[in-house]
Amino acid sequence: MTDGAGGKTIDVAVFGAGRIGRIHAANLARQPGVRLKYVVDVNRDAAAALAAQHGAQVADIDGAIGDASVGATVICSSTDTHADLILKSAAQRKHVFCEKPVDLTLERARACADAVAKAGVVCMIGFQRRFDPTFAAVKARIDAGEIGTPEMLVVTSRDPGAPPVEYIKHSGGIFKDMLIHDFDIFRWILDDEADTLHATGSCLSDPAIADAGDIDSTAVTIRTKRGRLCQINTARRAAYGYDQRFEVLGSDGMLQAGNVRPTEVVAYSKTAVSSDVPEAFFLERYRAAYALEIAHFFAAVTQGKPVRTTVADGLKALELAEAATRSWRAGRAVKLDGAA
Amino acid sequence: MTDGAGGKTIDVAVFGAGRIGRIHAANLARQPGVRLKYVVDVNRDAAAALAAQHGAQVADIDGAIGDASVGATVICSSTDTHADLILKSAAQRKHVFCEKPVDLTLERARACADAVAKAGVVCMIGFQRRFDPTFAAVKARIDAGEIGTPEMLVVTSRDPGAPPVEYIKHSGGIFKDMLIHDFDIFRWILDDEADTLHATGSCLSDPAIADAGDIDSTAVTIRTKRGRLCQINTARRAAYGYDQRFEVLGSDGMLQAGNVRPTEVVAYSKTAVSSDVPEAFFLERYRAAYALEIAHFFAAVTQGKPVRTTVADGLKALELAEAATRSWRAGRAVKLDGAA
Amino acid sequence: MTDGAGGKTIDVAVFGAGRIGRIHAANLARQPGVRLKYVVDVNRDAAAALAAQHGAQVADIDGAIGDASVGATVICSSTDTHADLILKSAAQRKHVFCEKPVDLTLERARACADAVAKAGVVCMIGFQRRFDPTFAAVKARIDAGEIGTPEMLVVTSRDPGAPPVEYIKHSGGIFKDMLIHDFDIFRWILDDEADTLHATGSCLSDPAIADAGDIDSTAVTIRTKRGRLCQINTARRAAYGYDQRFEVLGSDGMLQAGNVRPTEVVAYSKTAVSSDVPEAFFLERYRAAYALEIAHFFAAVTQGKPVRTTVADGLKALELAEAATRSWRAGRAVKLDGAA
Amino acid sequence: MTDGAGGKTIDVAVFGAGRIGRIHAANLARQPGVRLKYVVDVNRDAAAALAAQHGAQVADIDGAIGDASVGATVICSSTDTHADLILKSAAQRKHVFCEKPVDLTLERARACADAVAKAGVVCMIGFQRRFDPTFAAVKARIDAGEIGTPEMLVVTSRDPGAPPVEYIKHSGGIFKDMLIHDFDIFRWILDDEADTLHATGSCLSDPAIADAGDIDSTAVTIRTKRGRLCQINTARRAAYGYDQRFEVLGSDGMLQAGNVRPTEVVAYSKTAVSSDVPEAFFLERYRAAYALEIAHFFAAVTQGKPVRTTVADGLKALELAEAATRSWRAGRAVKLDGAA
C-alpha cells in the first residue's frame, strides 16, 4: 500500500487494547503514511471494539506478526508478554515500539536488546516523559547551556492512588513498576550514569501493599560517575492528584518542570487564592507526549533515524530499578558498574 | 450516506481555505458522522490543497450549496461574503456555522437572522472563546454560584501585533474587528445587556492606522441594565504576545481566567524567575476551543439542540461594536436600547 | 536638642491618635534625629496613650504648633481638620506631612498650597502607595525604559468591605475618599495628565450607600494629553480582601504590580492548589510604605530636598476626583483643563 | 531597673558585634522591658559602634557576665566561643540565647545542656527558621491536621555562594555548618526522630573546598522511627540566590513553603514572564524570623514559659550532622540511636 505522497504506507499491528493501547492506536491512526491493520488482545471484545473504531482487523499474535505486509508492531500488552512479542517481531524483522519495561528481568531484557540489534530493526521503548513538551523544553534548554553544568536533579513523582494489590503483586515492585520512568528521566536529564545508588522506602498508605512485599513511598539518591547528585521522591498516593515535577540545579541557574493544569482559572475566596489541581493521571498529563512519541517512532522508522528512547535506555533504567530494589532490601547504598 | 452507527452522515461544504478554514476542516473531519465534501475558495489552489488533505472535492459556491446531500455549510471566507453565504445556505435549508462577524452592517446581519429563523436552520456564530476550557470553566463556576452575584468584569484583550493596514482599512474598525469577541464575552459572562457604553481610544503603535481612520488601543466601559460594570482594554500590539484574560468580581469572591503557556518550565537565573510568554496568537491559544465549538455545532445539528452562540448573539455583539464606534467618534457615552 | 551625630533633632507634633496616627508616630519615633514631642487628639485618652508609648506629651493644637521648638507637624486627624492644621503649621513655618486628601474642596486645598509655598515649608501629602516597594519598583523599571513608552494603565483597587454609612456620608464620596489614591497612581505611573475622564458606577453591596448619595463600585477611564489610556476599577467590597494591583502596557512589554501575601505557603488539597489571600487591609498591605514615606519626609526636611508627593500632587488628584464625580453625576465624559 | 508597666526590665549582654549580632541587638532593643546593657567583641571598634547605636556600654566577657544586674546573654560570637559563654552564663544564672550550633562537638554541647539544666535557666538556640512566618504557618497547618499524617518531607536549602575557604576550614564541615538548620527543620516538621540516615555529596563549585576536606553539594535521606521519609538537597552555590523551600506530603494533601521575593512585580517581555529572584541571603530572608525569635525568647524568659528551640534541639541537630558526616565519609547509611 502507498500513501498519497507516493511513499509506502506502514501497516501496524497493535498488541493490547487497554487504556494505553487505545491511545497509541488513535495516535498512530492519525499519522500520515501509517495504517492500523491489526489489533491483538486476549480480550477479543476489546480487540474488536478498537479494531472497529479504526477500520482494522482482529488477529492473533502469529497472524499479525506473520503478515509480511506489517512493518511495525506496537506492544501495549501486559509486561510479561513484552519480551516474547519483541523477540517475535525482531525475528520477522518488524520495527518495534514497546511500552516500558522491556521485561522484569535483566536477562530477558538483554536478550531482546540482542535480538533487535541482530535483526537491525528499530526498537523504541515508551518512555513518553521525554516527549512531554515541558520536560523536553527543560532538556533542550539545559543542552543549550542555559544553566551551565547541571549538578543536582530533584525528581518528584507521585501517583494519585495505588493500583489494586493484585496488580502490585505482579508489578515487579515499585522500583521497576513506577520509578523506572524516573530512572530514565535521571539519565536523560543529567546525561550521566549512576555510580552509587541508595534507596529506602516505607509502606504508609495501605498495609496490604506491605503484605505483598512492596512499599508505596520511596526516597532514592544517586551519585553519578561525574559526581552529580539526584534525589527522587515517589509515592503511590498523592491526595491532590498526579504530581510530576523535576528541577535541575546547574552552575549558572535552575530549571523547573512543573505540573500541567486543566485550566488557567484562579479563584479568590474569603480564605484562599486557588488554581486547579494537576491533570488527573498519566493519560491526561502525558496526552501530548503520547502523540509526540508515536509520531517520533514512525518518523524514525520512515527516515531511518535513531529513536530517542532505545532498548538500551530500557536496559539501563531496569538496571537502576534492580539496584534500587537491592539497596532498599539490604538497607545500604549499592555500587553500579558495567556488570551491574 | 450513513455513519457506522446507522445514523445519517452530514456532508459539509467549507467556504474559505485560509488559516481558520483549514482548522475547521481538520476539526470537522474528525467528528464521527461528519464528512467534508466540498471546499470552496476563490483561490482554487488553496481549495484544492485543503480538499486533497481530507478527501474532499473543490466546488464553486452554487455547486456546493446546490448539492442536496450537503447538510451544513461552514463559512470561513472573508467577512464581506458572510451574509451572502448565510442567505444562500438558509435558502437551501443548510445549517450554518459562520465565523464572526455576521456582517459589518447591522441591516444585513439582521436580514441573515431573519432568513435562518424563517428557514428553521441552525446558525452558529464562531465566538470560539466561549468554548475555551479556561473561559468556559469560569462561566460554569459563576453559574454554580461560586462568587455570588457577578458585579464587575475586567477584560484584557491584546494582539501580538497589528495586521497590515490594508486589512485594517476593510476591517470595519477595531471595535467590529477585534472587540466584537470581547463584547460577546461581556454579554455571556455577566449574563446581562448593556445600558450605557463609553469608548475611547488612541493610535499609539503605528500612525498609518490613524491615517486609515482607525485606532489601535481602546478603553471601553459598559454599565448594564442591572447596574453591573464592565471594562475592556484592548491593544493591537502587546510585545509579549497574545494576551487574553478576564476577571469577574462577584459579591462572594473573584474568578480570573488567565493566559495559557506552551510549557510549565520555570527558569531561575541571576536576575529573574521566568516562565513562558503566553501562547503566540489565536490559532494556538484557542486550539482546543476551535475543536470544541465545531463538535458543539454538529452535536447541536444532529440532536436538534440549541447552539451556545446564536446569530442573535452575533447581532448583539455587532450592536455593541457600532455603539462603541459611535461613542469613540463622538467623545461621549451612548445609550443602548432595543432600537440600538 | 541635638542628635548623636551632632545634627539638630527635629521635634514633631502628631495630630490624630487613631490607626494611622499610631503608625506614623511609631515610624517617626524610629527615625534617627526625630523626636515625637506632642500628640494632639480631641480624644484625650487616645492622645495620652499614644504619647505615653513614645515618651511624648499631650497638647492642644495651639500649644503644639505654638511651640517654637517643633519643626514639623504630622497631620492624621479627620479630613475636615487638614486644611486648618496645614494653614496653622505654615503660619508658624513648620514643615507638614498631611494625610490625603488636603481638603474636600479644591478652593481650600489651593489655599493650603499657596500658604505652604509662601511659607517656604515642605508639605508632603500621604500618598503612601508611591512608597510601596512593589509599586515603586514598577515605576523605577518604567523610568529605566524596560517597557518602552507606557501606553495603557489598568488599576484594580478594592477594599475588603465598605466603611460605616455614617463615615461615607462625610467622606466626600467614593471618588474623593477612595479613588484619590488611584488618581495619584495614574499621574505618577503614566507621568502624564488627564485630558478627558469618564466615570460611571453603581451601588451594588448595600442600598444604604445609595441612600447616602454614593456608590460602591466605579469604572473610570482617563485619556491623557498624550493619548495614553487608563482604566480604574474600584469596589468597596472584595470578599477575598484588599486588592491593590495595577499593570502597565508599554510599547515593549508589560509590568504588573501584584498583591502581597502574608506567607508563601501553597497548599494542595483534593480540589485545589491554594495560596494566601492578599494582606487584609491598608495597614498590613502598606506597612513598609508607611515606614518608607515617613523616612522620606524627614530626609527631605533635613536635607532640603523635594518630596515625592507634594501638595500640588494632592491638588491634581483632587481635581480628578471632582471631575470623576461630575462625570458620574452627569453621565458623560468630562474635559480636564487648567481651570479644571 | 523597671519598665513603664511596673515589670522588671531585663538587662542584656550581647556577645559578638558582627552581622547577626547587630540584628539581634536591634531587635532586642525594640522589646519593651528589655535593655541592651553590654556589647562584647574582640573587635573593640565593632563593639563600640554597636554599643553607641543603642546607648549600651562595651565590656569584656567577665565584666558583662559578672554584672549581677544582667539577666540574659545573647551569644552571636564565633562558634568556638559558644560553649564557654553558655557555661559561664549558666554559672551566673543568666538566661541564654545562643546562635547555632551549640558547639562543633557533641561532648561539649552536652556539657552545655547539663549546665543550663542544672542552673535552671532558659537556653534557646537560634534556629530562626522555626519563626519564619511561612515555615511556621506550614507547621501550624500540619498540626491542625490539614494534610492528615505527614509522610514525606523534601527540603531544598541552597546558599547564593560559598563562604571563603578559610571559613569552611573551621566550620566543622557542611553538615554541621549548613545542614544543621535543615536537620532541625526535619525534626520540627515531621515531629519524629531519625532511625537511619544516608548522606552523600560532591564538591562541584570550587576545588579548594575539596582540598579543605569538605563538599559543597549534598543529598541526605532520613527514614524516621515511624517510617516517614525526608530528603534534603543542599548546595553552597545557587546562581539565582538564596533558596529556602520545603514541602510536606501528607496522607490528605501537601503543603509547600516557598521563597520570599523582595517585590510582587511581574514583567512580560518578548521572551519571558518574570518575577523577582528570592531574597538575597539569610539576613533578608529571615528578617522577620530574627525579630520574632528574639521576641519569643524574652517572652519566655519573662513569663517562665518553654522556648520553641531548646538546647536539646541543638543537640539533636548536631547528632544528625555528625551522623551525616559519618555516612558521607563511609559511603554507607548509618543508624541513629539513643547513644548516637
Side-chain angles (χ1 to χ4, degrees), chain C residues 223-237:
Chain C
R223 192 173 183 280
T224 73
K225 293 190 188 303
R226 287 192 264 181
R228 297 169 183 187
L229 304 175
C230 169
Q231 287 195 310
I232 302 170
N233 73 80
T234 322
R236 284 282 192 191
R237 177 198 55 192

Side-chain angles (χ1 to χ4, degrees), chain A residues 206-223:
Chain A
D206 182 358
I209 294 174
D211 293 345
D214 207 351
I215 48 181
D216 56 19
S217 307
T218 78
V220 174
T221 299
I222 303 172
R223 192 174 184 279

Side-chain angles (χ1 to χ4, degrees), chain C:
Chain C
M1 186 180 168
T2 56
D3 67 14
K8 189 123 177 292
T9 289
I10 304 171
D11 283 344
V12 180
V14 165
F15 296 86
R19 287 188 302 195
I20 191 68
R22 290 196 297 272
I23 285 179
H24 288 321
N27 282 327
L28 72 87
R30 234 173 263 149
Q31 300 303 313
V34 177
R35 190 177 65 157
L36 177 56
K37 186 160 186 184
Y38 298 116
V39 177
V40 184
D41 196 299
V42 288
N43 179 336
R44 300 287 291 197
D45 289 346
L50 182 55
Q53 200 179 333
H54 296 289
Q57 310 159 43
V58 171
D60 61 12
I61 292 174
D62 293 331
I65 298 189
D67 182 340
S69 80
V70 167
T73 60
V74 169
I75 305 173
C76 329
S77 44
S78 62
T79 297
D80 57 345
T81 67
H82 289 184
D84 272 352
L85 292 170
I86 292 174
L87 293 173
K88 285 185 173 168
S89 298
Q92 298 293 329
R93 298 198 181 274
K94 317 297 189 196
H95 299 297
V96 179
F97 175 93
C98 182
E99 275 302 309
K100 64 88 209 169
V102 180
D103 190 81
L104 292 180
T105 71
L106 269 171
E107 193 187 356
R108 280 168 61 80
R110 285 191 189 117
C112 291
D114 291 346
V116 298
K118 212 171 299 170
V121 294
V122 170
C123 181
M124 176 167 164
I125 304 303
F127 289 127
Q128 87 284 355
R129 294 187 194 179
R130 294 201 192 191
F131 297 88
D132 176 76
T134 293
F135 288 8
V138 167
K139 173 64 171 169
R141 292 168 72 165
I142 292 171
D143 289 351
E146 183 171 326
I147 57 168
T149 306
E151 296 178 347
M152 201 181 283
L153 169 66
V154 178
V155 179
T156 298
S157 182
R158 298 168 186 161
D159 281 358
V165 170
E166 211 44 46
Y167 172 92
I168 285 179
K169 280 180 188 164
H170 301 93
S171 69
I174 192 169
F175 296 108
K176 284 188 191 171
D177 184 55
M178 194 172 163
L179 280 88
I180 194 135
H181 280 294
D182 306 304
F183 291 132
D184 184 62
I185 288 285
F186 148 73
R187 293 182 58 250
W188 178 54
I189 290 295
L190 287 189
D191 201 13
D192 203 350
E193 299 293 344
D195 183 54
T196 57
L197 181 152
H198 175 265
T200 185
S202 288
C203 180
L204 298 168
S205 71
D206 182 357
I209 294 174
D211 292 345
D214 207 353
I215 47 181
D216 56 20
S217 306
T218 78
V220 174
T221 299
I222 303 173
R223 192 173 183 280
T224 73
K225 293 190 188 303
R226 287 192 264 181
R228 297 169 183 187
L229 304 175
C230 169
Q231 287 195 310
I232 302 170
N233 73 80
T234 322
R236 284 282 192 191
R237 177 198 55 192
Y240 53 91
Y242 191 49
D243 193 353
Q244 300 279 296
R245 290 171 286 149
F246 64 79
E247 65 178 54
V248 198
L249 176 68
S251 52
D252 294 340
M254 173 170 63
L255 285 163
Q256 291 178 319
N259 284 311
V260 177
R261 287 180 291 270
T263 77
E264 294 301 322
V265 179
V266 179
Y268 290 64
S269 73
K270 283 181 180 62
T271 53
V273 177
S274 307
S275 52
D276 288 359
V277 290
E279 292 281 11
F281 207 5
F282 62 96
L283 298 180
E284 295 84 6
R285 171 66 172 89
Y286 292 115
R287 184 181 295 124
Y290 288 123
L292 291 165
E293 72 171 354
I294 283 294
H296 174 86
F297 172 67
F298 286 104
V301 163
T302 308
Q303 301 160 24
K305 289 192 182 160
V307 288
R308 197 183 296 173
T309 52
T310 65
V311 68
D313 292 317
L315 273 174
K316 285 286 189 184
L318 189 58
E319 285 170 9
L320 290 168
E322 294 228 326
T325 308
R326 284 202 312 278
S327 171
W328 161 59
R329 287 209 177 116
R332 57 174 183 77
V334 296
K335 180 105 180 150
L336 278 286
D337 53 36

Side-chain angles (χ1 to χ4, degrees), chain D residues 100-219:
Chain D
K100 65 88 207 170
V102 181
D103 191 82
L104 291 180
T105 71
L106 269 171
E107 192 187 356
R108 279 168 60 81
R110 285 191 190 119
C112 291
D114 292 346
V116 297
K118 212 171 299 171
V121 294
V122 170
C123 181
M124 177 167 163
I125 304 304
F127 288 127
Q128 86 284 355
R129 294 187 194 178
R130 295 201 191 191
F131 296 88
D132 175 77
T134 293
F135 288 9
V138 167
K139 173 64 171 168
R141 291 169 72 164
I142 292 171
D143 289 350
E146 184 171 328
I147 57 167
T149 305
E151 295 178 349
M152 202 182 281
L153 169 67
V154 179
V155 179
T156 298
S157 182
R158 298 169 186 161
D159 280 0
V165 170
E166 211 46 47
Y167 171 92
I168 284 179
K169 279 181 188 165
H170 301 93
S171 69
I174 193 169
F175 295 108
K176 285 188 192 172
D177 183 57
M178 193 173 165
L179 281 86
I180 193 134
H181 280 295
D182 306 304
F183 292 132
D184 183 62
I185 288 285
F186 149 71
R187 292 183 58 249
W188 177 54
I189 289 295
L190 287 188
D191 201 12
D192 204 350
E193 299 294 343
D195 184 54
T196 57
L197 180 151
H198 175 265
T200 186
S202 288
C203 181
L204 298 167
S205 70
D206 182 358
I209 294 174
D211 293 345
D214 207 353
I215 48 182
D216 56 19
S217 306
T218 78

Side-chain angles (χ1 to χ4, degrees), chain B:
Chain B
M1 184 182 169
T2 56
D3 67 14
K8 192 124 174 293
T9 289
I10 305 171
D11 282 345
V12 180
V14 165
F15 296 86
R19 286 188 304 193
I20 192 68
R22 290 197 296 270
I23 284 180
H24 288 321
N27 282 328
L28 73 87
R30 236 173 261 150
Q31 301 301 313
V34 177
R35 193 178 63 158
L36 177 56
K37 188 160 184 184
Y38 298 116
V39 177
V40 184
D41 197 299
V42 289
N43 179 338
R44 299 286 292 195
D45 289 346
L50 182 56
Q53 199 179 333
H54 296 288
Q57 309 159 43
V58 171
D60 62 12
I61 292 174
D62 293 331
I65 297 189
D67 181 340
S69 78
V70 166
T73 60
V74 169
I75 304 171
C76 327
S77 43
S78 64
T79 296
D80 57 345
T81 67
H82 289 184
D84 272 352
L85 290 170
I86 292 174
L87 293 172
K88 284 185 174 171
S89 297
Q92 298 292 329
R93 300 200 178 273
K94 316 298 191 197
H95 299 297
V96 179
F97 175 95
C98 182
E99 275 302 309
K100 65 88 208 169
V102 180
D103 191 80
L104 291 180
T105 70
L106 268 171
E107 191 187 358
R108 279 168 61 81
R110 284 189 191 121
C112 291
D114 292 345
V116 296
K118 212 170 298 171
V121 293
V122 170
C123 182
M124 177 167 162
I125 304 304
F127 288 125
Q128 87 284 354
R129 294 186 195 180
R130 294 200 192 190
F131 296 89
D132 176 77
T134 292
F135 289 8
V138 168
K139 172 65 172 168
R141 292 169 72 164
I142 292 171
D143 289 351
E146 184 171 327
I147 57 167
T149 306
E151 295 177 349
M152 202 181 282
L153 170 67
V154 178
V155 179
T156 297
S157 183
R158 299 169 186 160
D159 281 359
V165 170
E166 210 46 46
Y167 171 91
I168 284 179
K169 281 180 186 164
H170 301 93
S171 69
I174 193 169
F175 296 107
K176 285 187 191 173
D177 184 56
M178 192 172 163
L179 280 88
I180 193 132
H181 280 295
D182 305 305
F183 291 131
D184 183 61
I185 288 285
F186 149 71
R187 292 182 58 250
W188 177 54
I189 289 295
L190 287 189
D191 201 14
D192 204 349
E193 299 294 342
D195 183 52
T196 56
L197 182 152
H198 176 264
T200 186
S202 288
C203 181
L204 298 167
S205 70
D206 182 358
I209 294 175
D211 292 345
D214 207 353
I215 47 181
D216 55 19
S217 306
T218 78
V220 174
T221 300
I222 303 173
R223 191 174 184 279
T224 72
K225 293 191 186 304
R226 288 192 264 183
R228 297 168 182 186
L229 304 175
C230 169
Q231 286 195 311
I232 302 170
N233 74 79
T234 321
R236 285 283 192 190
R237 176 197 57 192
Y240 54 92
Y242 190 49
D243 193 351
Q244 300 279 295
R245 291 171 285 148
F246 64 80
E247 66 178 52
V248 198
L249 176 68
S251 51
D252 295 340
M254 174 169 63
L255 285 163
Q256 290 178 320
N259 284 312
V260 176
R261 288 181 290 268
T263 77
E264 294 301 321
V265 178
V266 179
Y268 291 65
S269 73
K270 283 182 179 61
T271 53
V273 178
S274 308
S275 52
D276 287 0
V277 290
E279 291 281 10
F281 207 6
F282 62 94
L283 298 180
E284 295 84 6
R285 171 65 171 90
Y286 292 116
R287 185 182 292 124
Y290 288 123
L292 290 166
E293 72 171 353
I294 284 293
H296 174 85
F297 172 66
F298 285 105
V301 162
T302 308
Q303 301 160 23
K305 289 191 182 160
V307 289
R308 198 182 295 173
T309 53
T310 65
V311 68
D313 292 318
L315 274 174
K316 287 285 189 183
L318 190 57
E319 286 170 9
L320 290 168
E322 294 228 325
T325 308
R326 284 203 311 276
S327 171
W328 161 57
R329 289 207 178 116
R332 58 172 182 78
V334 297
K335 180 104 181 153
L336 278 286
D337 53 36

Side-chain angles (χ1 to χ4, degrees), chain A residues 151-152 154 158 198 200-202 219-221 223 227 231-234 237 239-240 245 247 251-252 254 256, chain D residues 151-152 154 158 198 200-202 220-221 223 227 231-234 237 239-240 245 247 251-252 254 256:
Chain A
E151 296 178 347
M152 201 181 284
V154 178
R158 299 168 186 161
H198 175 265
T200 185
S202 288
V220 174
T221 299
R223 192 174 184 279
Q231 286 195 311
I232 303 170
N233 74 82
T234 322
R237 177 198 56 191
Y240 53 91
R245 290 170 287 148
E247 65 178 54
S251 52
D252 294 340
M254 174 169 63
Q256 291 179 320
Chain D
E151 295 178 349
M152 202 182 281
V154 179
R158 298 169 186 161
H198 175 265
T200 186
S202 288
V220 174
T221 300
R223 192 174 184 279
Q231 286 195 312
I232 303 169
N233 73 80
T234 321
R237 176 198 55 191
Y240 53 92
R245 290 171 287 149
E247 66 178 51
S251 51
D252 294 341
M254 174 169 64
Q256 290 178 321

Side-chain angles (χ1 to χ4, degrees), chain A residues 247-271:
Chain A
E247 65 178 54
V248 198
L249 176 68
S251 52
D252 294 340
M254 174 169 63
L255 285 163
Q256 291 179 320
N259 284 311
V260 177
R261 287 180 291 268
T263 77
E264 293 301 322
V265 178
V266 179
Y268 291 65
S269 74
K270 284 181 178 60
T271 54

